[in-house]
């Protein structure tokens, strides 16, 4: 399964569109800042499953700020990162993933790519 993970697109979707066209992912995950970008991608690619969570700049939404999903039999914890304070460290992000039984934890918010495995959880921030 090929998954495209995005965050902090802030109104710029051209790179995401090109990646979807060239890489043909099976699923897209958008980790917030800007939800309207995820919605735009869903309109452009209506058969592509797109999961999204809001970021700190996504006001006036009923979308859950944190989600747990299963893809390819893997538990994945999703949040933008502002609710878990990732700018100050990843302890809470890791803790929430462990609490929910997830082996993958995805977040954004810092605009800096991050990849680490800790306590059996793969922590990933795609950057902006």
């Amino acid at each position: 399964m090929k998954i495209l993970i995005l965050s902090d697109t802030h109104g710029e979707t051209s790179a995401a569109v090109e990646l979807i066209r060239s890489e043909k992912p099976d699923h897209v995950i958008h980790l917030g800042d800007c939800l309207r970008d995820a919605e735009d991608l869903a309109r452009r690619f209506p058969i592509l499953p797109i999961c999204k969570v809001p970021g700190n700049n996504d006001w006036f939404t009923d979308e859950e700020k944190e989600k747990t999903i299963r893809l390819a039999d893997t538990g994945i914890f999703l949040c933008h990162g502002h609710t878990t304070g990732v700018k100050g460290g990843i302890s809470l992000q890791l803790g929430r993933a462990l609490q929910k039984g997830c082996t993958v934890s995805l977040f954004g918010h810092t605009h800096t790519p991050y990849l680490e495995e800790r306590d059996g959880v793969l922590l990933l921030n795609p950057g902006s």
Side-chain angles (χ1 to χ4, degrees):
M1 174 176 280
K2 190 183 284 190
I3 303 167
L4 176 61
I5 302 165
L6 308 167
S7 188
D8 298 280
T9 49
H10 295 282
E12 177 50 57
T13 59
S14 60
V17 168
E18 289 305 311
L19 281 169
I20 291 169
R21 287 183 178 149
S22 66
E23 296 298 322
K24 298 176 181 24
D26 301 301
H27 201 98
V28 172
I29 296 173
H30 193 290
L31 299 167
D33 280 0
C34 292
L35 279 183
R36 70 179 176 270
D37 295 347
E39 293 160 359
D40 176 54
L41 293 173
R43 280 190 296 279
R44 289 175 181 236
F45 303 95
I47 62 170
L48 182 62
I50 298 178
C51 184
K52 61 189 183 300
V53 292
N56 58 300
N57 290 311
D58 294 312
W59 308 293
F60 310 113
T61 179
D62 292 332
E63 198 76 39
E64 293 177 65
K65 291 181 180 167
E66 298 180 357
K67 292 181 182 175
T68 301
I69 63 171
R70 291 196 75 74
L71 293 177
D73 206 32
T74 299
I76 306 170
F77 174 67
L78 312 174
C79 76
H80 180 64
H82 65 298
T83 59
T84 57
V86 296
K87 286 188 177 181
I90 58 151
S91 296
L92 187 54
Q93 183 77 24
L94 174 62
R96 291 251 174 85
L98 288 168
Q99 179 185 49
K100 295 178 181 295
C102 295
T103 56
V104 176
S105 182
L106 304 177
F107 62 97
H109 192 47
T110 66
H111 295 202
T112 304
Y114 181 89
L115 178 64
E116 179 184 11
E117 184 180 340
R118 191 182 292 183
D119 296 337
V121 176
L122 181 67
L123 296 143
L124 175 91
N125 180 337
S128 60

